[in-house]
PDB file of all heavy atoms in Angstrom:
ATOM      1  N   GLU A  39      14.890   3.735 -21.407  1.00 92.00           N
ATOM      2  CA  GLU A  39      13.907   2.900 -20.949  1.00 92.00           C
ATOM      3  C   GLU A  39      13.265   3.252 -19.583  1.00 92.00           C
ATOM      4  O   GLU A  39      12.105   3.084 -19.308  1.00 92.00           O
ATOM      5  CB  GLU A  39      14.415   1.453 -20.918  1.00 92.00           C
ATOM      6  CG  GLU A  39      14.755   0.818 -22.442  1.00 92.00           C
ATOM      7  CD  GLU A  39      15.290  -0.452 -22.333  1.00 92.00           C
ATOM      8  OE1 GLU A  39      15.490  -1.150 -21.255  1.00 92.00           O
ATOM      9  OE2 GLU A  39      15.695  -1.062 -23.546  1.00 92.00           O
ATOM     10  N   PRO A 151       4.900  -9.904 -15.400  1.00 51.00           N
ATOM     11  CA  PRO A 151       6.083  -8.856 -15.264  1.00 51.00           C
ATOM     12  C   PRO A 151       5.899  -7.737 -16.086  1.00 51.00           C
ATOM     13  O   PRO A 151       5.252  -7.826 -17.197  1.00 51.00           O
ATOM     14  CB  PRO A 151       7.200  -9.841 -15.832  1.00 51.00           C
ATOM     15  CG  PRO A 151       6.760 -11.257 -15.726  1.00 51.00           C
ATOM     16  CD  PRO A 151       5.216 -11.177 -15.891  1.00 51.00           C
ATOM     17  N   CYS A 152       6.562  -6.610 -15.791  1.00 59.00           N
ATOM     18  CA  CYS A 152       6.433  -5.502 -16.511  1.00 59.00           C
ATOM     19  C   CYS A 152       7.176  -5.676 -17.804  1.00 59.00           C
ATOM     20  O   CYS A 152       8.102  -6.322 -17.976  1.00 59.00           O
ATOM     21  CB  CYS A 152       7.227  -4.362 -15.592  1.00 59.00           C
ATOM     22  SG  CYS A 152       7.410  -2.702 -16.713  1.00 59.00           S
ATOM     23  N   PRO A 153       6.551  -5.187 -18.898  1.00 62.00           N
ATOM     24  CA  PRO A 153       7.139  -5.317 -20.165  1.00 62.00           C
ATOM     25  C   PRO A 153       8.559  -4.787 -20.451  1.00 62.00           C
ATOM     26  O   PRO A 153       9.192  -4.948 -21.479  1.00 62.00           O
ATOM     27  CB  PRO A 153       6.149  -4.837 -21.213  1.00 62.00           C
ATOM     28  CG  PRO A 153       5.410  -3.870 -20.395  1.00 62.00           C
ATOM     29  CD  PRO A 153       5.278  -4.364 -19.084  1.00 62.00           C
ATOM     30  N   CYS A 154       8.989  -3.946 -19.435  1.00 60.00           N
ATOM     31  CA  CYS A 154      10.315  -3.347 -19.609  1.00 60.00           C
ATOM     32  C   CYS A 154      11.395  -4.462 -19.091  1.00 60.00           C
ATOM     33  O   CYS A 154      12.539  -4.168 -19.104  1.00 60.00           O
ATOM     34  CB  CYS A 154      10.496  -2.122 -18.728  1.00 60.00           C
ATOM     35  SG  CYS A 154      10.065  -2.431 -16.962  1.00 60.00           S
ATOM     36  N   GLY A 155      10.834  -5.590 -18.589  1.00 54.00           N
ATOM     37  CA  GLY A 155      11.718  -6.633 -18.145  1.00 54.00           C
ATOM     38  C   GLY A 155      12.134  -6.639 -16.685  1.00 54.00           C
ATOM     39  O   GLY A 155      12.972  -7.359 -16.265  1.00 54.00           O
ATOM     40  N   THR A 156      11.390  -5.834 -15.921  1.00 44.00           N
ATOM     41  CA  THR A 156      11.464  -5.796 -14.390  1.00 44.00           C
ATOM     42  C   THR A 156      10.287  -6.078 -13.769  1.00 44.00           C
ATOM     43  O   THR A 156       9.179  -5.635 -14.270  1.00 44.00           O
ATOM     44  CB  THR A 156      12.136  -4.455 -14.030  1.00 44.00           C
ATOM     45  OG1 THR A 156      11.201  -3.416 -14.431  1.00 44.00           O
ATOM     46  CG2 THR A 156      13.458  -4.121 -14.664  1.00 44.00           C
ATOM     47  N   GLN A 157      10.300  -6.425 -12.652  1.00 39.00           N
ATOM     48  CA  GLN A 157       9.093  -6.822 -11.799  1.00 39.00           C
ATOM     49  C   GLN A 157       8.460  -5.551 -11.340  1.00 39.00           C
ATOM     50  O   GLN A 157       9.211  -4.650 -10.746  1.00 39.00           O
ATOM     51  CB  GLN A 157       9.413  -7.687 -10.723  1.00 39.00           C
ATOM     52  CG  GLN A 157       9.756  -9.108 -11.065  1.00 39.00           C
ATOM     53  CD  GLN A 157       8.647  -9.883 -11.675  1.00 39.00           C
ATOM     54  OE1 GLN A 157       7.369  -9.583 -11.447  1.00 39.00           O
ATOM     55  NE2 GLN A 157       8.910 -10.969 -12.270  1.00 39.00           N
ATOM     56  N   GLU A 160       9.377  -1.434 -11.643  1.00 43.00           N
ATOM     57  CA  GLU A 160      10.501  -0.725 -11.037  1.00 43.00           C
ATOM     58  C   GLU A 160      11.675  -0.789 -12.077  1.00 43.00           C
ATOM     59  O   GLU A 160      12.238  -1.941 -12.100  1.00 43.00           O
ATOM     60  CB  GLU A 160      10.848  -1.313  -9.650  1.00 43.00           C
ATOM     61  CG  GLU A 160       9.904  -0.922  -8.677  1.00 43.00           C
ATOM     62  CD  GLU A 160       9.899   0.563  -8.440  1.00 43.00           C
ATOM     63  OE1 GLU A 160      10.925   1.337  -8.769  1.00 43.00           O
ATOM     64  OE2 GLU A 160       8.820   1.117  -8.123  1.00 43.00           O
ATOM     65  N   SER A 164      17.869  -1.488 -11.604  1.00 38.00           N
ATOM     66  CA  SER A 164      17.721  -2.956 -11.994  1.00 38.00           C
ATOM     67  C   SER A 164      18.924  -3.419 -12.840  1.00 38.00           C
ATOM     68  O   SER A 164      19.201  -4.589 -12.926  1.00 38.00           O
ATOM     69  CB  SER A 164      16.474  -3.261 -12.726  1.00 38.00           C
ATOM     70  OG  SER A 164      16.497  -2.591 -14.015  1.00 38.00           O
ATOM     71  N   THR A 166      18.639  -3.871 -15.848  1.00 40.00           N
ATOM     72  CA  THR A 166      18.222  -4.781 -16.856  1.00 40.00           C
ATOM     73  C   THR A 166      17.791  -4.110 -18.135  1.00 40.00           C
ATOM     74  O   THR A 166      16.878  -3.160 -18.049  1.00 40.00           O
ATOM     75  CB  THR A 166      16.794  -5.474 -16.259  1.00 40.00           C
ATOM     76  OG1 THR A 166      17.149  -6.115 -15.062  1.00 40.00           O
ATOM     77  CG2 THR A 166      16.262  -6.478 -17.154  1.00 40.00           C
ATOM     78  N   GLN A 167      18.272  -4.436 -19.250  1.00 43.00           N
ATOM     79  CA  GLN A 167      18.042  -3.862 -20.527  1.00 43.00           C
ATOM     80  C   GLN A 167      16.816  -4.562 -20.980  1.00 43.00           C
ATOM     81  O   GLN A 167      16.558  -5.685 -20.792  1.00 43.00           O
ATOM     82  CB  GLN A 167      19.235  -3.864 -21.483  1.00 43.00           C
ATOM     83  CG  GLN A 167      20.345  -3.040 -21.020  1.00 43.00           C
ATOM     84  CD  GLN A 167      21.319  -3.048 -22.016  1.00 43.00           C
ATOM     85  OE1 GLN A 167      21.895  -4.050 -22.476  1.00 43.00           O
ATOM     86  NE2 GLN A 167      21.929  -1.909 -22.473  1.00 43.00           N
ATOM     87  N   ASN A 168      16.160  -3.728 -21.953  1.00 47.00           N
ATOM     88  CA  ASN A 168      15.190  -4.483 -22.726  1.00 47.00           C
ATOM     89  C   ASN A 168      15.642  -5.705 -23.497  1.00 47.00           C
ATOM     90  O   ASN A 168      16.500  -5.548 -24.267  1.00 47.00           O
ATOM     91  CB  ASN A 168      14.613  -3.393 -23.716  1.00 47.00           C
ATOM     92  CG  ASN A 168      13.466  -3.849 -24.384  1.00 47.00           C
ATOM     93  OD1 ASN A 168      13.089  -5.046 -24.516  1.00 47.00           O
ATOM     94  ND2 ASN A 168      12.531  -2.950 -25.005  1.00 47.00           N
ATOM     95  N   PRO A 169      15.181  -6.825 -23.244  1.00 44.00           N
ATOM     96  CA  PRO A 169      15.677  -8.056 -23.776  1.00 44.00           C
ATOM     97  C   PRO A 169      15.483  -8.003 -25.322  1.00 44.00           C
ATOM     98  O   PRO A 169      16.088  -8.866 -26.038  1.00 44.00           O
ATOM     99  CB  PRO A 169      14.981  -9.151 -23.153  1.00 44.00           C
ATOM    100  CG  PRO A 169      13.664  -8.573 -22.617  1.00 44.00           C
ATOM    101  CD  PRO A 169      14.081  -7.124 -22.272  1.00 44.00           C
ATOM    102  N   LEU A 182       8.055   0.450 -26.248  1.00 83.00           N
ATOM    103  CA  LEU A 182       8.000   0.184 -24.814  1.00 83.00           C
ATOM    104  C   LEU A 182       6.753   0.967 -24.121  1.00 83.00           C
ATOM    105  O   LEU A 182       6.105   0.568 -23.257  1.00 83.00           O
ATOM    106  CB  LEU A 182       9.280   0.421 -24.140  1.00 83.00           C
ATOM    107  CG  LEU A 182       9.383   0.276 -22.632  1.00 83.00           C
ATOM    108  CD1 LEU A 182       9.115  -1.087 -22.173  1.00 83.00           C
ATOM    109  CD2 LEU A 182      10.878   0.741 -22.087  1.00 83.00           C
ATOM    110  N   ARG A 185       3.646  -0.708 -24.500  1.00 81.00           N
ATOM    111  CA  ARG A 185       3.489  -1.958 -23.699  1.00 81.00           C
ATOM    112  C   ARG A 185       3.252  -1.663 -22.370  1.00 81.00           C
ATOM    113  O   ARG A 185       2.380  -2.270 -21.608  1.00 81.00           O
ATOM    114  CB  ARG A 185       4.692  -2.893 -24.033  1.00 81.00           C
ATOM    115  CG  ARG A 185       4.752  -3.497 -25.419  1.00 81.00           C
ATOM    116  CD  ARG A 185       5.976  -4.361 -25.535  1.00 81.00           C
ATOM    117  NE  ARG A 185       7.093  -3.587 -25.986  1.00 81.00           N
ATOM    118  CZ  ARG A 185       8.335  -3.674 -25.372  1.00 81.00           C
ATOM    119  NH1 ARG A 185       8.594  -4.560 -24.422  1.00 81.00           N
ATOM    120  NH2 ARG A 185       9.339  -2.963 -25.728  1.00 81.00           N
TER     121      ARG A 185
END
Side-chain angles (χ1 to χ4, degrees):
E39 290 178 2
C152 175
C154 61
T156 59
Q157 292 288 343
E160 287 298 330
S164 67
T166 304
Q167 289 185 308
N168 186 339
L182 178 59
R185 288 180 278 133

